[in-house]
Every structure is written in C-alpha cells, then in structure tokens.
Amino acid sequence: MTQEEAGRLPQVLARVGASHGITNLACKLRFYDNWAPEYDQDVAALKYRAPCLAVECLSQALLGPPHDALILDVACGTGLVAVELQARGFLQVHRVDGSPEMLKQAQARGLYHRLSLCTVGQEPLPNPEGGLVCLTTRSNPSNLPYKEVLEATLDSLEQAGAWERLVAQPVEHWELATSEQEMELGTCANHGFISGIIYLYRKQERGQGEGGRPSVQAPVDP
C-alpha cells in the first residue's frame, strides 16, 4: 500500500461503513453520486479485487474470441470492469448504472460503446437474452444476509430452468476489511482481507441460437 493510500484509508473505512447503513434506494444513489469523484482512489486503498477476479472468470468461461463477446456491465460504477475487460481483449462493452455521476466518470474513460442510466431491480436491463451472467459479492459477516438472499434468488432461477450454474468460486483476498468486527472475524489469516465469491451462470432463455453472441452481465461494484 502506498503512503497516499494508507493516509486516506481511515476516511475510506468511514465512508464505506456509512454506506452499509443506507437502505433507501434514493439515498443510496445520492451516496454513490457524491462518492463518484473519489471512488477509484478509495477502492484502490481497499485493495478491491472484484473487477479483476470477475473478468478473469469470464475469460476462462468464454469459448470464442473476446472481441466477439458483447458485455453488459451492470451497476459498474466508474468503469473499473471495463479497464480489466479491455486488457483482456473485450472490445464491445455496454454499461448501465443508477448513478448519473458514476456514469460521467465511466464515460470519461472512453471504453464503453453505450452507457445507460438504469437502476437494477427497478427497470428492465438492455440486452437481457442469452449468454453468461457473472455476479460477485462479499462473504464477510456483515454481508451474509444479502448473500443468502442473492443465493436464494439464484437457486430459484436455476430450479426454474432459466439459468445454469457454471461456477461458484470463493475468493479469500477480496478487499481489506472495513470494520473492527470484520477484522476480528477471520481476517487475521488473510492479512486483513475479507472473503468474497464469484458466480457464473449460463442463461437458458429461448432464442439463444448456437454460436450467438453472448451477453454478459457483471455487477461488481462494492
């Protein structure tokens, strides 16, 4: 960790801790709007690895060349996933996010073909058919209730025959713990990092012809 990252870490921990207590959607989006200008520096201080890990998982799963894949980057903040995608040869990337200010930061990178303002769970996503779905979340104690709800939803989609699970990969070094409680619960062996998990599914919707262009959804924001 650089001296600059270490110096801003207490501020980052306080900011992330405050976000965990926001349950109202409008308030959460305003929080991300305000966070957008400093988001990249803050997650760098946390050693946030989800974008890199998710794109690595996708790269291993796709059978065709990456430049043929259409990527739908969902709720992806300032575009950290797009940076990783471009590094691995993915050239066709669309993105959606519910925060206008996050969209502005992502647009400034110049890596997206299309950017759409869309709140996940409130509005239909563009390009919803076919392909792969990659989702990531933390598995630290404070996130377990959300993780359980997410997995119940994924299980129901699989049981209904809509999605097929390909990967459920635990990851130990996800990002630095952001609270004293997390630091006390199992992070010592991981050098202060919390754990996470990556899910990869194949969508089974009708109309996905053999050899069709995959649409990959990768919501990986902290």
Side-chain angles (χ1 to χ4, degrees):
M1 179 179 296
T2 67
Q3 185 175 358
E4 180 182 354
E5 290 172 346
R8 71 183 298 123
L9 189 56
Q11 171 190 336
V12 176
L13 296 179
R15 173 175 276 164
V16 174
S19 75
H20 292 165
I22 303 174
T23 57
N24 178 270
L25 178 59
C27 293
K28 179 74 82 171
L29 291 176
R30 283 197 297 271
F31 173 86
Y32 278 106
D33 277 340
N34 293 330
W35 193 6
E38 297 181 296
Y39 182 85
D40 287 2
Q41 298 94 315
D42 284 359
V43 296
L46 289 177
K47 303 297 182 184
Y48 180 56
R49 300 176 64 228
C52 175
L53 296 169
V55 173
E56 181 178 349
C57 184
L58 289 175
S59 298
Q60 294 172 357
L62 286 177
L63 299 178
H67 59 264
D68 285 342
L70 173 61
I71 307 297
L72 178 59
D73 195 357
V74 179
C76 58
T78 61
L80 295 176
V81 169
V83 175
E84 298 291 340
L85 287 167
Q86 186 186 57
R88 292 178 178 268
F90 293 90
L91 303 178
Q92 303 182 69
V93 185
H94 298 177
R95 65 103 24 140
V96 298
D97 200 281
S99 163
E101 294 303 318
M102 286 286 188
L103 278 175
K104 288 181 182 178
Q105 297 293 324
Q107 186 174 17
R109 294 185 187 276
L111 301 179
Y112 290 99
H113 283 69
R114 181 184 303 163
L115 296 95
S116 303
L117 185 64
C118 175
T119 304
V120 179
Q122 305 295 312
E123 305 161 76
L125 294 173
N127 303 315
E129 297 146 8
L132 305 177
V133 182
C134 183
L135 307 97
T136 70
T137 194
R138 302 169 185 80
S139 51
N140 56 304
S142 65
N143 197 52
L144 289 181
Y146 171 79
K147 180 174 176 287
E148 290 174 0
V149 172
L150 174 62
E151 290 184 338
T153 301
L154 296 175
D155 288 344
S156 67
L157 288 166
E158 189 170 20
Q159 291 168 12
W163 290 10
E164 174 193 1
R165 178 180 288 194
L166 302 178
V167 173
Q169 177 183 333
V171 179
E172 293 300 322
H173 292 78
W174 186 260
E175 70 177 5
L176 290 174
T178 58
S179 71
E180 292 185 6
Q181 180 188 20
E182 291 172 353
M183 293 175 187
E184 293 170 357
L185 295 174
T187 62
C188 292
N190 292 327
H191 306 287
F193 282 80
I194 62 171
S195 57
I197 187 166
I198 302 169
Y199 308 96
L200 186 64
Y201 285 80
R202 178 179 289 113
K203 298 184 78 171
Q204 302 296 308
E205 298 179 28
R206 290 178 297 175
Q208 174 68 14
E210 185 175 350
R213 177 178 291 175
S215 174
V216 181
Q217 301 172 9
V220 295
D221 274 358

